[in-house]
Amino acid sequence: MTQTTPTAPPDAALPDAALPVAAVQAEPEPGNVAGNAACAARLVARAADGGARVVVLPELFLPAYHPPTLAGDPAGTDVPAGPDGEVADPRLDPLREVARDRRVVVVVGAAVRHPDGRRTCSALLVDGAGRVDAGYAKQHLWGPDENALFTPGSRGATLLVDGWRLGLGVCYDGCFPEHGRAAAQDGAHGYLCPSGYLVGSEHRRDLYYRARALDNTMYVVFANAVGGPAPWRFNGGAAIHDPEGRTLDRGPDTGVAVVVARFDPAELHRVRDAHRMLAERLPGQGGKRHLLTG
């Protein structure tokens, strides 16, 4: 359920128990929301079989990241959100069922139509009771296609699961250090990023999210699509990074993969005790600077 909560400080209490999470990579079919939801449900079940409590799927996975289809059939590719953020679209029933049956939390990319007419590139949340919420709307839109299709989100979002505070981002959001830092300043222990990285971007794909992990001493989950019609061909590499930016596990550049790893509160404590960037950061570093000449 969507609600506004007080901001937690970066040194908020750490969780008591480990949290198994999964990052998924797969190829959705453009425009086939029902079919992609059924595919997502099968992948969530596979992740749950691997012990996952939280499962993250790629950006715009439900309609597929294919701008011509998104532009040509908005009614068919969007899922509608109600005034309280709930998404009642029956095409998502397979995801509701697997979330309820397996007691998992699912984060999956979708194009969302809001009651006020806005269309957002969003990270939907399916909770363990099967409720689907519009979740988080991507704040940084990438390129002319996304800017033509969507309205940017206006605020961040934090998901609370079993005592773990998890910041939400979508793809290009993770390219901005300030976005991950905002999550960390809200007390995030982890950062979940449904994404869509194209073939040829492998270096940036692997670097950005490891950097966000180390910058903020938090776990990072990166989910990405694979395949797709040219020129929107995606390069997989779904990964989970630890709070020092080390990769715990990673999928290949092609093919379906479900990567599962544990967020460990003891490791989070060890890293934050050793690397105190959050606790020791100085305020006001964007102010007036002293100019030196050489």
Side-chain angles (χ1 to χ4, degrees):
M1 182 176 181
T2 301
Q3 56 183 329
T4 301
T5 56
T7 297
D11 58 352
L14 298 183
D16 295 325
L19 183 71
V21 300
V24 172
Q25 62 184 56
E27 181 178 351
E29 179 184 345
N32 187 1
V33 172
N36 295 333
C39 174
R42 293 190 293 271
L43 292 165
V44 169
R46 177 172 160 184
D49 287 342
R53 170 79 169 102
V54 176
V55 184
V56 184
L57 292 107
E59 178 181 22
L60 291 171
F61 188 81
L62 292 177
Y65 194 118
H66 188 248
T69 301
L70 291 165
D73 183 20
T77 54
D78 292 0
V79 296
D84 64 347
E86 184 170 9
V87 176
D89 193 321
R91 294 175 295 178
L92 307 189
D93 284 350
L95 279 170
R96 293 186 181 88
E97 291 167 9
V98 74
R100 283 195 303 263
D101 293 347
R102 308 304 289 273
R103 302 300 297 172
V104 294
V105 177
V106 181
V107 178
V108 58
V112 176
R113 182 73 61 177
H114 298 266
D116 60 6
R118 287 178 302 121
R119 188 188 199 192
T120 60
C121 176
S122 292
L124 291 188
L125 169 68
V126 189
D127 69 19
R131 185 186 193 275
V132 183
D133 191 277
Y136 165 75
K138 184 177 185 178
Q139 292 176 278
H140 299 90
L141 299 178
W142 181 78
D145 288 325
E146 288 187 18
N147 279 278
L149 289 166
F150 301 114
T151 300
S154 59
R155 63 179 181 178
T158 297
L159 168 64
L160 184 63
V161 180
D162 299 343
W164 287 83
R165 294 180 67 87
L166 308 171
L168 299 180
V170 176
C171 198
Y172 194 37
D173 287 329
C175 302
F176 295 84
E178 298 85 355
H179 193 272
R181 178 53 54 87
Q185 288 178 319
D186 188 50
H189 311 114
Y191 186 51
L192 313 181
C193 291
S195 297
Y197 271 71
L198 297 170
V199 169
S201 66
E202 289 77 12
H203 168 70
R204 292 182 293 106
R205 175 198 68 187
D206 295 337
L207 181 58
Y208 280 136
Y209 300 91
R210 293 178 64 195
R212 296 298 81 79
L214 179 57
D215 285 345
N216 300 293
T217 55
M218 63 186 179
Y219 286 94
V220 172
V221 180
F222 168 82
N224 192 27
V226 291
W232 297 281
R233 297 190 62 80
F234 298 92
N235 62 7
I240 301 172
H241 308 298
D242 77 6
E244 283 190 310
R246 296 188 178 92
T247 301
L248 296 174
D249 203 353
R250 180 185 177 280
D253 290 350
T254 60
V256 175
V258 177
V259 174
V260 181
R262 292 193 333 149
F263 288 6
D264 182 352
E267 178 64 6
L268 184 64
H269 174 77
R270 183 196 70 79
V271 172
R272 290 190 170 182
D273 189 54
H275 305 290
R276 299 186 54 78
M277 291 86 78
L278 289 179
E280 296 177 355
R281 68 194 188 286
L282 299 174
Q285 292 180 82
K288 187 175 181 180
R289 300 178 70 86
H290 180 48
L291 178 63
L292 302 173
T293 59

